[in-house]
Amino acid sequence: HQMDPPDHTRLRRMLIPDFTFRRIEQMEDALQRICDDLLDAMTLGGATEADLVESYALPLPTLAICELLGVPYEDHDFFRAKSNALTSVAGDPAEAMNARMALYGYLRALIERRAQEPADDLISRLATERVATGEATLDEATGMVCLLLLAGHETTANMFPLAVIALLHHPAQLDALRVDESRWPVAVEELLRHLTVIHSGIRRVATEDMELSGVRIRAGEGVVVALQSANRDPSAYSDPDALDVRRDAAGHLAFGHGLHQCLGQSLARAELRLGLPTLFRRLPMLHLTTPPETLALSTSSVHGVRSLPVAWR
């Protein structure tokens, strides 16, 4: 995401087959099984409360991206610790660098192992079809997998609890979704628009002189694009600050736009589209046990909460 064509185009093209809508559709049974298994574990032994981040919102996308990439899930604690250190905006730079080196070392070794013993997963395809043929270097492949692993769980893990808070805060809208689950895909787009978890600003550089809303921007000047502001633009959406799960929010910018639009958006949508209705169907009495305004915010560059205490009795 810090790269432009032609290198960006060459590397992104290698990953597209594993992130098409059809490929993610083929994963839906596995995603549903992940949702059900997590809720089975959460309610085991008649348990009536949990931290939704730790028990569901975080392991769901982590398991999903590990499944797609071919990363052994037993290493997920290692990934979580390293990705936390890497993405924290309040962390120690030296710790972040050490985390990056540890993650790179692990993934590099895994790619080399899969070159010898390939499986049916993205890492094996990169190893045998791209690195072995010289299309990509081992360092490039390692960098791509590392980015996918981090982006693939950090974003949805933060989006999920915020969506739960928003829906519980709008019980009539949630009830309508419970009655008619076919409405969930539209609701997910509105939640993505309304919440926009990428809130740190997207950095870009102007390639030519231009004028935007009466402001002159010269070629070479840096621009920070605020996606969350664009998604609340009153000229694009009526009553933009309101959540309305019936709204057609198509065209929102929660996944960015253009060359760098989120590669994993089909996977993120599938996780929300399956994970949210499964949660509310299995736990119809779900409620927060702490006022939302008292929750600790994530220190990551992705907006979210660090924990979400809930109960269902």
Side-chain angles (χ1 to χ4, degrees), residues 35-287:
C35 295
D36 289 329
D37 288 350
L38 289 172
L39 287 168
D40 285 347
M42 207 164 100
T43 56
L44 193 66
T48 58
E49 54 186 33
D51 171 8
L52 198 66
V53 172
E54 191 184 308
S55 302
Y56 194 66
L58 177 61
L60 167 54
T62 307
L63 280 163
I65 198 71
C66 285
E67 172 125 352
L68 188 137
L69 293 175
V71 169
Y73 183 67
E74 56 266 26
D75 297 327
H76 79 281
D77 284 340
F78 164 81
F79 285 116
R80 184 59 191 159
K82 299 309 172 199
S83 69
N84 261 350
L86 250 177
T87 56
S88 174
V89 291
D92 173 16
E95 193 184 337
M97 183 53 72
N98 289 339
R100 182 178 291 277
M101 300 297 285
L103 211 44
Y104 262 60
Y106 173 90
L107 291 170
R108 191 185 174 98
L110 184 57
I111 292 168
E112 289 179 313
R113 197 159 80 239
R114 289 292 159 76
Q116 305 304 317
E117 304 165 15
D120 180 18
D121 55 50
L122 188 150
I123 288 178
S124 297
R125 281 187 279 280
L126 270 182
T128 57
E129 297 171 18
R130 309 298 185 179
V131 177
T133 60
E135 259 189 87
T137 66
L138 182 57
D139 279 344
E140 284 175 333
T142 305
M144 285 192 284
V145 172
C146 187
L147 177 64
L148 291 174
L149 191 63
L150 294 175
H153 79 264
E154 192 73 29
T155 42
T156 312
N158 282 323
M159 173 69 196
F160 208 97
L162 295 184
V164 169
I165 293 168
L167 289 166
L168 290 174
H169 191 62
H170 294 81
Q173 296 193 40
L174 177 56
D175 285 346
L177 290 166
R178 290 188 206 266
V179 170
D180 182 2
E181 290 200 353
S182 69
R183 294 182 176 191
W184 273 106
V186 169
V188 162
E189 298 307 312
E190 169 65 353
L191 287 161
L192 286 161
R193 178 204 72 83
H194 183 72
L195 295 166
T196 314
V197 293
I198 304 294
H199 70 158
S200 55
I202 307 296
R203 299 185 300 272
R204 294 289 181 262
V205 175
T207 55
E208 57 185 63
D209 289 357
M210 62 183 296
E211 191 171 296
L212 195 62
S213 300
V215 177
R216 184 82 174 149
I217 300 170
R218 302 194 185 282
E221 287 185 337
V223 179
V224 176
V225 182
L227 297 179
Q228 71 276 37
S229 181
N231 277 344
R232 298 284 184 99
D233 184 348
S235 69
Y237 302 101
S238 61
D239 197 8
D241 292 335
L243 176 73
D244 178 0
V245 296
R246 297 163 306 172
R247 183 201 305 268
D248 178 6
H252 67 74
L253 300 177
F255 293 114
H257 180 72
L259 283 175
H260 296 275
Q261 191 173 38
C262 176
L263 181 69
Q265 59 183 290
S266 289
L267 179 57
R269 283 185 166 106
E271 288 165 354
L272 294 166
R273 202 177 63 241
L274 294 171
L276 286 167
T278 304
L279 175 70
F280 287 113
R281 189 188 319 123
R282 291 273 306 264
L283 305 175
M285 304 295 286
L286 187 78
H287 58 277

